[in-house]
Amino acid sequence: MDVDTCIPRARVEHAETAKYESEFKTGRRQYTQQFNTLYYKRLNTLKPFILNHARTKWEPKKIHLTPKVLNVEGPEPTFIVGTIFMDSQAKPSTLAQVENTHWISDPTPPRMYRDGTETVYLEDESGRIRLVGDAVDKAVLASGVVAAMMGCETQAGDFDVIDMCFAGMAEQPERTCSEDVFVALVSGLNASVEQPVTLEMQVLAEYLCGAAGGASDQKTSARIVQTVVAGNIMNVPVPPIGHTEDARANDRVPVQKLVASVDAYLSDIAACMPLALLPGPGDPSSASLPQQPLHPSMFAQCRQYTGFRTLTNPAYFEINNVLLLGTSGQNVRDLCRYSNETPCQLAAQSLQWRHVAPTAPDTLWCYPFTEHDPFVVRTTPHVYFAGNQKFEAGVAVGTEGQKTKVVMVPEFSVSHEIVLLNLRTLECSTVHIDACV
């Protein structure tokens, strides 16, 4: 193997993560509050932006706002603003999930929530009205999306939708990166108790550190200024329902060994470049969004390096004046149960909705926030990525010149691929890690 150890690694500026982490940090979690406050905060946060778009679009046509959805009367065209709710037999039932008074299982969700038999409503603080019409049937919608609907009341008391509009993409800061440097996006390592570090994982670490491949590969790896692992770093075994931990049986020993092995593996990467970890559904973190950072005590070796960070899921972070928003993929997977669009298309659409997890808390577990809805996109990122998907990339374009690169990061344990994102051009490409060389 031709290894050039003289190639210096590129270095760039990393913004303070505390500037963005506060959005998703929950502190000590309490679940005594109800979820209706979260919906109320979401509606009131996004409503001014939606009204601005709706009035610009429809008021020149003499179509005006009806302030409350229950105040819609007669066949005259009007528009209303509210939160979409889909009632479907396929959606999971909380009561059906309760196995006993102490355990709620994580059910296997159906493939689709929207199968043609669902009923779509628009609701606000006054109540809800049923939405009907071809525009609703053909639109890409999901529970929890805040929208304006233009149409008229039917004789049955439903609202026949003719057109609709959303909040649109938020303001976007200027991007000033002028260097050809890369961020390595990785997800789904799925280190297991049986095999904590696979051969492909080892080759991946060598590639990122510049110790694998030829001279061209080493020059590319030297331009990688950050590695991000977006969820499912580990595949921690779930105890069976009703299991009671017995300290004498050393139940935790296999998991402790797994965590130690992953820490030792990741420390090799952290020694070469900044490394950020987002928790995923298989990792030892909170089950509901936003998942809190993996505890630093699990990474005794990694935390010796100043560039090592454990982030929330979702997470904002800034590298060389490029703002990134990343998730581990749960939000995109849940959106896929409402539409046949690709994950990349749905992720891009969520930026137009100005919300990264609209289906929470209806069909996606989340914390019942009372002060604000942190999933509302207040600043449009330059890059939006989601982990544990099949690779796909696209661009979301706003009405005011916003452009966001949308990247679906492949699950490494399945595809043996990572994504290299060029911070100057925002072009991305996959690198296949082949252990049979």
Side-chain angles (χ1 to χ4, degrees):
M1 183 185 302
D2 180 16
V3 178
D4 187 349
T5 58
C6 297
I7 302 177
R9 182 167 296 279
R11 304 290 178 185
V12 296
E13 178 185 350
H14 291 72
E16 288 294 327
T17 57
K19 177 180 176 182
Y20 304 101
E21 280 185 339
S22 58
E23 280 290 310
F24 301 112
K25 287 287 186 69
T26 58
R28 184 176 180 180
R29 294 194 171 199
Q30 297 181 353
Y31 289 87
T32 56
Q33 60 270 43
Q34 298 295 313
F35 284 104
N36 63 319
T37 305
L38 178 62
Y39 281 119
Y40 176 79
K41 294 292 183 182
R42 181 184 305 176
L43 175 60
N44 282 279
T45 300
L46 294 177
K47 192 172 184 177
F49 305 106
I50 294 172
L51 283 175
N52 182 52
H53 286 294
R55 285 176 171 139
T56 302
K57 187 176 185 179
W58 296 321
E59 285 192 346
K61 302 176 183 178
K62 308 300 182 183
I63 300 172
H64 300 286
L65 170 71
T66 298
K68 306 293 183 183
V69 299
L70 292 188
N71 291 344
V72 174
E73 292 182 357
E76 285 296 318
T78 184
F79 67 90
I80 51 179
V81 178
T83 305
I84 292 169
F85 174 75
M86 290 193 184
D87 188 13
S88 171
Q89 294 285 335
K91 287 166 64 174
S93 167
T94 301
L95 293 177
Q97 297 171 25
V98 178
E99 298 292 338
N100 54 50
T101 57
H102 301 290
W103 189 274
I104 299 179
S105 65
D106 187 5
T108 301
R111 193 186 73 84
M112 293 292 291
Y113 296 141
R114 198 175 183 189
D115 56 5
T117 62
E118 74 284 343
T119 304
V120 184
Y121 298 94
L122 192 73
E123 57 184 21
D124 62 11
E125 59 271 22
S126 70
R128 63 170 57 164
I129 189 169
R130 183 182 178 184
L131 304 179
V132 296
D134 289 341
V136 175
D137 296 336
K138 296 176 181 178
V140 178
L141 298 173
S143 265
V145 172
V146 181
M149 299 288 169
M150 189 272 283
C152 57
E153 187 183 31
T154 67
Q155 290 185 350
D158 300 328
F159 193 77
D160 187 7
V161 178
I162 300 171
D163 196 7
M164 62 187 71
C165 74
F166 307 101
M169 294 172 69
E171 292 183 355
Q172 187 176 52
E174 184 180 358
R175 181 171 62 89
T176 58
C177 180
S178 58
E179 299 179 74
D180 282 312
V181 291
F182 300 92
V183 172
L185 301 176
V186 186
S187 73
L189 295 175
N190 286 314
S192 64
V193 170
E194 295 78 14
Q195 194 172 16
V197 180
T198 64
L199 186 56
E200 288 81 10
M201 287 172 60
Q202 190 59 53
V203 175
L204 170 61
E206 292 175 358
Y207 171 78
L208 293 173
C209 295
S216 176
D217 295 316
Q218 292 159 27
K219 287 179 180 178
T220 299
S221 66
R223 306 300 297 171
I224 300 174
V225 296
Q226 170 87 54
T227 294
V228 180
V229 185
N232 287 356
I233 303 156
M234 297 172 244
N235 187 5
V236 177
V238 178
I241 294 176
H243 171 76
T244 302
E245 188 176 273
D246 184 355
R248 295 170 299 177
N250 292 324
D251 289 353
R252 298 181 179 179
V253 170
V255 176
Q256 289 172 344
K257 290 182 177 179
L258 168 61
V259 171
S261 297
V262 170
D263 177 31
Y265 167 75
L266 293 175
S267 67
D268 291 339
I269 302 174
C272 296
M273 71 184 74
L275 173 64
L277 307 181
L278 278 67
D283 295 310
S285 179
S286 48
S288 57
L289 295 183
Q291 287 184 282
Q292 297 305 284
L294 296 168
H295 201 281
S297 64
M298 294 192 295
F299 303 99
Q301 297 185 50
C302 287
R303 65 183 180 180
Q304 297 177 24
Y305 302 100
T306 56
F308 175 74
R309 295 175 291 171
T310 57
L311 305 178
T312 56
N313 170 36
Y316 283 99
F317 51 98
E318 187 176 311
I319 306 171
N320 213 25
N321 296 314
V322 177
L323 182 62
L324 293 90
L325 169 61
T327 80
S328 295
Q330 299 101 309
N331 59 327
V332 175
R333 284 180 182 268
D334 201 55
L335 284 175
C336 289
R337 298 188 179 101
Y338 289 88
S339 173
N340 290 319
E341 300 284 304
T342 68
C344 189
Q345 291 171 329
L346 290 170
Q349 181 62 47
S350 71
L351 293 177
Q352 303 290 348
W353 295 333
R354 210 178 284 206
H355 202 282
V356 294
T359 59
D362 186 21
T363 54
L364 184 65
W365 292 355
C366 81
Y367 180 73
F369 290 91
T370 57
E371 299 298 324
H372 71 298
D373 183 351
F375 305 111
V376 171
V377 180
R378 291 169 173 79
T379 303
T380 296
H382 301 114
V383 179
Y384 175 34
F385 65 87
N388 300 289
Q389 312 293 321
K390 291 183 179 179
F391 173 70
E392 189 180 2
V395 178
V397 181
T399 57
E400 299 175 356
Q402 307 97 319
K403 287 187 177 181
T404 298
K405 189 72 172 185
V406 182
V407 185
M408 299 295 103
V409 185
E411 191 172 12
F412 183 80
S413 62
V414 176
S415 66
H416 301 153
E417 289 181 337
I418 66 170
V419 176
L420 291 187
L421 172 72
N422 187 315
L423 291 181
R424 183 181 67 84
T425 65
L426 298 188
E427 294 179 356
C428 57
S429 58
T430 57
V431 176
H432 184 80
I433 303 300
D434 191 351
C436 301
V437 294

